[in-house]
Amino acid sequence: MKIIPCKWKHHAALAELGASTFYETFRPHNSEEDMQAYLANTYTPALVQGNLKKSGVHYFLGYDELGDQGYIKLIENPVGIKLEGKIMELEKIYVRTSAQGSGLAKLLMEQAAMHSKQLSFNYIYLGVWQENARALAFYKKLGFEIFDTRKFLLGSRSCDDYLLSLKLT
Ligand SMILES: CC(C)(COP(=O)(O)OP(=O)(O)OC[C@H]1O[C@@H](n2cnc3c(N)ncnc32)[C@H](O)[C@@H]1OP(=O)(O)O)[C@@H](O)C(=O)NCCC(=O)NCCS
């Protein structure tokens, strides 16, 4: 397994991977209409291209011998977060269902922590749907702690998130 930092040329792969993994994760819990509306506003190649150009946004792709299997998106200095210090948001961590449990997600998280530390950030922060038991178990296993909650709107559906943080030492 290999992790690489993303460049502009990866926008199409990231858009496909982002849409596929989001769909796999949330379609069982949401209407097709809400899913399509969210995908159209979040995971198009053009939108990913725009994000890749922004300063303070970092993407990494994870590969195995079958191809791209997961990715992370980091955003520097999110606003309004109740933590002291420099904060890096892990806005996305998504691994294809077929690669879950393989250790790739842990490698992606280690990359997130290493990259954030290199840039002198004190915390990684993320939001996760309260009913996403697998993701919560994964984050807790790696030392993340819940520090707050928030609402997240997916189309017509309001979801409750936990906010978690990991102190970088
Ligand atoms: C969240 C994610 C990155 C974690 O990666 P992963 O490879 O699945 O993680 P791991 O298998 O290392 O760890 C998951 C843990 O949850 C456990 N688990 C699996 N299903 C579970 C469930 N329904 N309830 C509780 N725990 C569960 C696993 O047994 C494992 O624990 P263990 O290592 O002690 O056995 C990955 O599942 C994923 O991409 N999910 C879809 C996208 C997503 O939800 N992203 C996060 C959005 S905030």
Side-chain angles (χ1 to χ4, degrees):
M1 286 183 283
K2 195 168 118 185
I3 310 291
I4 58 158
C6 295
K7 300 191 169 68
W8 192 85
K9 67 177 180 184
H10 296 114
H11 67 272
L14 277 171
E16 187 283 321
L17 185 58
S20 299
T21 51
F22 188 85
Y23 192 87
E24 281 179 345
T25 306
F26 292 109
R27 177 64 185 97
H29 310 283
N30 295 280
S31 71
E32 185 63 25
E33 196 186 355
D34 282 351
M35 291 299 296
Q36 292 306 330
Y38 190 85
L39 291 175
N41 287 316
T42 314
Y43 290 108
T44 65
L47 285 166
V48 177
Q49 271 177 3
N51 284 331
L52 280 163
K53 279 191 206 145
K54 285 183 192 160
S55 72
V57 175
H58 316 263
Y59 284 93
F60 292 87
L61 265 173
Y63 285 92
D64 66 13
E65 64 286 356
L66 298 174
D68 57 4
Q69 299 292 355
Y71 75 104
I72 53 175
K73 179 184 178 192
L74 295 162
I75 305 180
E76 296 179 11
N77 304 313
V79 290
I81 305 304
K82 296 177 200 155
L83 292 168
E84 293 289 325
K86 277 189 78 183
I87 303 163
M88 183 75 93
E89 177 175 6
L90 181 65
E91 202 219 16
K92 310 270 187 218
I93 176 165
Y94 281 77
V95 172
R96 293 191 199 274
T97 311
S98 54
Q100 290 174 13
S102 69
L104 182 68
K106 186 164 178 271
L107 281 183
L108 285 165
M109 192 62 95
E110 284 167 0
Q111 181 66 50
M114 193 171 72
H115 192 66
S116 303
K117 272 198 238 180
Q118 278 167 356
L119 297 174
S120 303
F121 283 83
N122 306 112
Y123 284 97
I124 294 182
Y125 132 87
L126 59 87
V128 56
W129 183 35
Q130 293 183 9
E131 291 176 44
N132 192 341
R134 183 171 190 128
L136 274 165
F138 172 71
Y139 298 138
K140 286 187 177 170
K141 188 169 70 170
L142 297 185
F144 279 81
E145 291 177 359
I146 294 171
F147 70 95
D148 206 351
T149 59
R150 73 170 176 209
K151 299 266 183 209
F152 170 78
L153 207 58
L154 203 164
S156 55
R157 189 181 143 100
S158 171
C159 306
D160 290 301
D161 279 1
Y162 287 124
L163 303 187
L164 280 75
S165 67
L166 178 73
K167 191 158 177 30
L168 301 169
T169 48

